[in-house]
Amino acid sequence: MTGRQVVPLTAATTDLLRPSCRGCVRWLRDPVEAHEESPRHSGPRLRSWAETVTREWGPPGLLVRQDGRTVAHVVVAPPSLVPRAGLPATAPVSDDAVLLLSLSSSSRAFTKVAVQSLGRELLRRRVRAVEAYGGPAVVPGCLSPAAVTQSDLPWPPPDVCRVPTTLLTGVGFTVVREHPTCPRLRLDLRSVATVREDVTAAVRSWLLDRATAPAAT
């Protein structure tokens, strides 16, 4: 397999997620499970969740594959299908938005490919926005304890990982509810589409004017 592919995230492709997030079920653990220290990674449970979401809503994300390996992935779902969606301090997610659970890539370029591809797919499903709970540059739970300092610990505790706020703002999200450690951010897909359409229309108009303008003498 060569070249780039964008693959829907389904039960059959969860094992292709980037290694740090493969089998991650932190967002799926209810408060009782978290208290009982139930496993934070479970391939079968993630596959079951992906199958349920795909059946009830559609594939919960996508993977960007380059030359046979996953270079980026993004996981999203309606908050009603995410057990811990309402726990962060800046909850709830807006009624017209889906929740971003995971965004991981090997480079900034692939991050943008993943977000742009997701935007196109969600617009086809008539989704208006994506929201996410931001976090510090170092997100507990995804790194070894030695790599996390006490000042980096956010709310809620480490069993819920979140995408760093700086990464989200870098791909177009804006903060809609401030919080010192857990802001809620939003990417309005209608605005993204409008900007794209306006630019496309302007270019087409310019090309048409060039094509029909009388030749200079």
Side-chain angles (χ1 to χ4, degrees):
M1 181 185 300
T2 59
R4 182 182 301 169
Q5 293 181 309
V6 177
V7 181
L9 177 63
T10 64
T13 59
T14 55
D15 289 342
L16 298 178
L17 288 166
R18 284 173 53 78
S20 62
C21 301
R22 197 170 296 161
C24 178
V25 294
R26 291 183 178 90
W27 279 105
L28 310 184
R29 299 161 77 233
D30 61 34
V32 173
E33 291 178 297
H35 181 73
E36 294 175 348
E37 291 298 319
S38 63
R40 298 180 180 182
H41 285 76
S42 171
R45 182 171 181 181
L46 184 61
R47 286 192 291 273
S48 177
W49 176 80
E51 182 177 18
T52 298
V53 178
T54 300
R55 181 176 62 251
E56 297 185 10
W57 177 69
L62 54 83
L63 307 100
V64 179
R65 305 270 291 169
Q66 182 75 35
D67 297 330
R69 66 187 184 91
T70 300
V71 293
H73 76 247
V74 57
V75 183
V76 297
S80 60
L81 297 174
V82 181
R84 297 185 71 86
L87 291 184
T90 50
V93 170
S94 302
D95 292 339
D96 63 349
V98 295
L99 178 62
L100 175 69
L101 306 181
S102 177
L103 175 60
S104 176
S105 74
S106 59
S107 73
R108 181 173 299 182
F110 286 130
T111 299
K112 292 182 177 179
V113 170
V115 172
Q116 291 169 356
S117 299
L118 176 70
R120 288 192 292 269
E121 171 61 25
L122 293 181
L123 282 170
R124 284 195 288 268
R125 297 195 220 174
R126 300 185 182 278
V127 175
R128 298 176 68 179
V130 180
E131 293 191 0
Y133 299 116
V138 177
V139 180
C142 297
L143 301 173
S144 66
V148 181
T149 64
Q150 185 64 35
S151 61
D152 288 320
L153 296 179
W155 190 101
D159 65 299
V160 176
C161 53
R162 288 171 283 112
V163 181
T165 299
T166 53
L167 190 155
L168 292 170
T169 56
V171 292
F173 282 75
T174 58
V175 176
V176 292
R177 187 172 177 188
E178 298 280 356
H179 190 273
T181 58
C182 188
R184 178 159 50 88
L185 297 93
R186 179 181 174 95
L187 179 64
D188 193 323
L189 299 177
R190 294 171 301 169
S191 298
V192 172
T194 300
V195 170
R196 185 183 301 118
E197 291 167 359
D198 288 347
V199 171
T200 301
V203 170
R204 287 176 177 170
S205 177
W206 180 81
L207 290 174
L208 181 60
D209 289 344
R210 291 281 299 235
T212 58
T217 58

